[in-house]
Every structure is written in C-alpha cells, then in structure tokens.
Amino acid sequence: MSKCPYHDPFKEAREKGPVLETEFDGDPVAMLVDFKAVRKACRDPKTFSSDAPFRIPIPREEDVRTVRQYPFEVDPPEHADYRAIVEPLFRRPTTPEYIEKMEDLVDELVRDAAGRDSIEIVREFAIPLQSKGLTLLLNMPMSEADIWIKWGTHVFRDESGVSKGHEMEAYTNSLFDKAEANPGEDFFSHLTKAEYRGRKLTREEMQGYANIAFAGGRDTVINAISMVVAYVAEHPEALDAMRENPKLIISGTEELMRYASPVTHLGRHCPVDTDVHGTKVKADHLISLNWAAANFDPKIFKDPEEVKLDRKPNPHVAFGNGIHNCLGAAHARLTIRTLLKKLCELTSSIELVDFHRKKEVEAHYTRENAFHTLNVKMAPATP
Amino acid sequence: MAKVTFITEDGNSHLIEDAEGSLMDIAVDNGIEGIEGDCGGVGSCATCHVRVKQEWMEKVGKAEELEQDILEFEDGTCSRSRLCCQIDVDEDLDGLVVEVAKLG
Ligand code: HEM
Ligand code: FES
C-alpha cells in the first residue's frame, strides 16, 4: 500500500482555483475544491439549494429510489421542522446506555475477529458492525440486522451496478405498516406518530427518512470501519500511541474521518444563473461541494497528506457543514471511537494479508477510499 | 478550580463552582443547553461556540486564525467568539462569564 492511499486527487485543481469544472450525468458541474469556498457555499442555501430530489447525491439517484430523502433534500425554512422530528433520535448515541451497548457490540466482534486465523474485514466485520450498530440507532432488535447484513455494501446497487433500491423501499414500507398496526419505540414507530406543522407525516415522507437512514449510513460507515482497520494494520505505532494516551482516540477519530472522507462530494442546485467564483452555472444546474478536497486543503490543514492523530484544531468537513451537517455523525463517531478503543484493548497485533481497493473513477479524478476486500490477521491481546 | 458562568440563549445564568479543564467538557458535563461538543473538542464541529464577555477577552484571548476560519461561517459570530473546547480553565479564569451562541 502506498504511504498515503487517500492521496489527494484534487491537488492540482485546487492550486488553480476554488472551482474544478467537471461533469456528471452528461451535464457540467462546478465542483468546489477549496475549504473556504465549500464552507461558504454550505451557508448559502438560497443560492445553493438542496431542494432537488435525487440530485443532491452526484451522480443522480432517480434509478435507485422513488422518494425524496428527508431532511436531506429540503431547504429552509421547512428543513428545520423536518430535521427537528428526528434530531432527538440521532442524539441518543451520546447517552451512557447507548455507549455501553456499542461497547458490548464492538467487544464481541473484535474478540471474534481476533480468535480467527484471518478475517475478511469488509464482509465479516465492517458490514456486521454497521448493520448491528444501526439497530441501536433505529432502536430495533439486533436480530433485524441479519436481514441488512445480506444486503452487501450498497443498499441501492449490487456489485454490477444494477438497481435494487425498490427492494429496500418495499422492506421499509412493510416496517411502517407494522409500526402503524403495533407502534413501539423504534425509529419507524416514531415517524408514524410524528407531526410536521400540525399534521401527520405522509407515507412518502416517512419513506424518505427511512431511505437515507439506510442508504446514507451504509457504505459511509462500512468504508470508514475498513479504512480504520487498514490504517492501524499498516501503522501499529498508532494503536500503541492510543494505548498510551487514550485521548488520542477522540482526536484520532476526527483525523481518520478527515483522511478517509467517506463521502467525496455532494451536490447543490442553482435555481437561477449563478456566478460561482467566475464559473457561470446555468439555472437548474449543479455545483458540487467536495468534502474530500476541502479536507486536504493545505491552507487549512498543515501537511494534509499526513495523519496526525493529535491534529487540533481539525475543522474537517467529512460530515458536511452547516444546517445539513450529518445527523448520523454522533453514531458514526461513536462507532469509530469504540472500534479504536477495542482494537487497543483486545488485540496485540493486526497484520495486513491482502486487499483489493475500490476506485471511484470520474471524468476528472480517480479516488480510492474503500475496499472490495481487506484480509487481515488479528492476534488477541495477551492477558 | 475556578467559578465560571454560562449565559444560555434563554437568558438564564448557570454558575459552575468547581470548573477545571476544557470549557467545553465543563459545559457538557453540566448539561449546558447549546453546547454539544460532538467532536470531543478538536475544533471540527463548532457545537461549542461561545461569546466571551468583553471584560474577560484580554485574559482568554482572541481565537487563533484557524479557529476564526471555523467560526467565520457560524451564526452569531462576533469578535468575542470562541470555540470553548479551545479554552482551558484554570485559576486565572476564576469568575469567567461566557454567552452560549445559538447552535447553527
Ligand atoms: C462515516 C459516516 C458518515 C459520513 C462520512 C456521512 C457524511 C454526511 C455528509 C457529508 C452529509 C452532509 C449532507 C449535505 O450537506 O447535503 C450528511 C448528511 C446526513 N447524514 Fe451522514 N454520514 C455518515 C453516516 C451517517 C449515518 C450513520 C446516518 C444515519 C443512519 C446518516 C444520515 C445522514 C442524514 C439524515 C443527513 C442529512 C441531514 C440534513 O440534511 O439535515 N449519516 N452525512
Ligand atoms: S467541541 Fe467540536 S469544535 Fe469544540
């Protein structure tokens, strides 16, 4: 593995200016690759709108879902009311009970991994951890994860790129049916009971919340877990440093999120002709907020291609920025922190056996931020 | 140990008698409304934005350049704005008063 596999593919573009003029789905897209430009655009939802269902993720997602995602594809002022409905659920990962459940879950998975001769991290570790972890967030029985584990890394497309989004929509729809008939304390029941501006949510809206909970929290978390395991396998000194100083687990989690930037970029829609740092964007066209490029901007991050576990301040935008910042961030942070903690506690060495990287190949860049497979050998800690 | 006071959005004052360490941790440990501290104090999340009372500005000090860059696009930022995870409380800051900014 090269020294920095997440090497910055936007370096040259950023040196030329804040905008990389690129294209997706046959249309021009003005991609912001400069930290300040990205953050500034996040704060201007009038000019750079999220009210464009299926088009905030780039490439567009009409072929894989039929519902607008909430509160992701909504602008102010409605956004705040939609977000408030689920915000309390997404804050639960900061409570002691939740933290304990996550510790138990990761403890079991790491012990199991360390007890084997070798383990394929993506399928046998990251997908189970992501799926079982999500039962905590959605407040479902852990056995439900058995269904999700079979879905693979992406819930929307199989390995050959064919859409399977309708299966997931049918599944979440059945969960709302169940919740309506027999409400409990889970995420789906919460939505069936919720009120938006004095009325119940429509089924389509409920489906939109469920859709992003499964899709937005899937490959992002799986890739983050795999990347963290690969990193510590390659850098045993990192785990030693965290064993010595557990505070590094917190700052290290942020730094590894910056470094991995699991979501490369997301779109915004320009309702009218807009001048974007000198690039003319036509009405109804897109700009892109490139989180990964912003996170390697040397004007903000000294030696951006180096992992510094104690980097502080570390104003990375891996979880976005502004009103749409990631609702799942508290859960994702807890997952990664707990993973690092348990790897420190329960393993004595992690050895990389082999791996097959996934490439994100686009018109103007290629990025490697995930794995098809990642085989490692973990040795249990000596008692 | 020091006494510090948080003035929350609703105008209420919250006095913490035995404060020490990161001002963000102190706020979170005492359940101060408006301080979340999501990133654990490394300056990524800006959910710990406070405005330091003018009379304390000299002792606490202004935000460094990078911290200013983070605060620049937050709501309610002014020249007294700080990320409170970047403020360490010790005896020197006994009596400190900060206003909690609205969460973006
Ligand atoms: C490492 C893991 C994750 C990363 C890197 C990540 C990244 C992001 C980013 C960059 C945004 C900003 C969207 C925008 O500005 O348009 C976002 C929003 C969002 N994320 Fe995540 N995410 C992660 C995990 C999760 C999880 C686990 C969930 C839920 C199960 C989730 C649910 C959401 C939702 C609902 C939003 C929309 C918030 C809004 O529009 O107000 N994410 N995420
Ligand atoms: S706690 Fe995240 S920026 Fe201060």
Side-chain angles (χ1 to χ4, degrees), chain B residues 66-78:
Chain B
L66 194 47
E67 192 181 323
Q68 279 182 28
D69 287 341
I70 305 168
L71 285 162
E72 184 182 346
F73 302 118
E74 293 299 317
D75 293 333
T77 296
C78 71

Side-chain angles (χ1 to χ4, degrees), chain B residues 64-94:
Chain B
E64 285 175 20
E65 199 184 333
L66 194 47
E67 192 181 323
Q68 279 182 28
D69 287 341
I70 305 168
L71 285 162
E72 184 182 346
F73 302 118
E74 293 299 317
D75 293 333
T77 296
C78 71
S79 60
R80 298 181 287 110
S81 284
R82 292 294 312 266
L83 295 172
C84 71
C85 65
Q86 308 298 307
I87 300 175
D88 253 323
V89 175
D90 55 19
E91 276 88 39
D92 274 2
L93 296 184
D94 188 29

Side-chain angles (χ1 to χ4, degrees), chain B residues 28-44:
Chain B
V28 171
D29 290 346
N30 288 281
I32 300 297
E33 184 87 14
I35 305 282
E36 305 283 5
D38 286 355
C39 73
V42 299
S44 345

Side-chain angles (χ1 to χ4, degrees), chain A residues 56 71-72 79 83 90 134 137 212-213 216-217 220-221 224 257 262-263 266 268 291 318-320 323-328 331-332:
Chain A
I56 301 307
F72 178 57
H79 171 264
R83 183 159 164 132
F90 282 102
L134 191 63
L137 188 62
I212 191 169
T220 49
V221 174
M257 284 302 101
V263 179
L266 287 167
R268 290 292 188 268
W291 317 113
F319 294 114
I323 58 167
H324 287 284
N325 73 34
C326 180
L327 270 170
H331 172 83

Side-chain angles (χ1 to χ4, degrees), chain A residues 333-357:
Chain A
R333 285 184 157 114
L334 179 65
T335 306
I336 300 304
R337 287 175 190 172
T338 312
L339 172 61
L340 288 170
K341 182 175 171 207
K342 290 294 167 186
L343 290 175
C344 285
E345 265 175 44
L346 301 173
T347 70
S348 57
S349 77
I350 305 173
E351 197 188 311
L352 207 61
V353 178
D354 59 41
F355 57 86
H356 178 199
R357 283 189 171 284

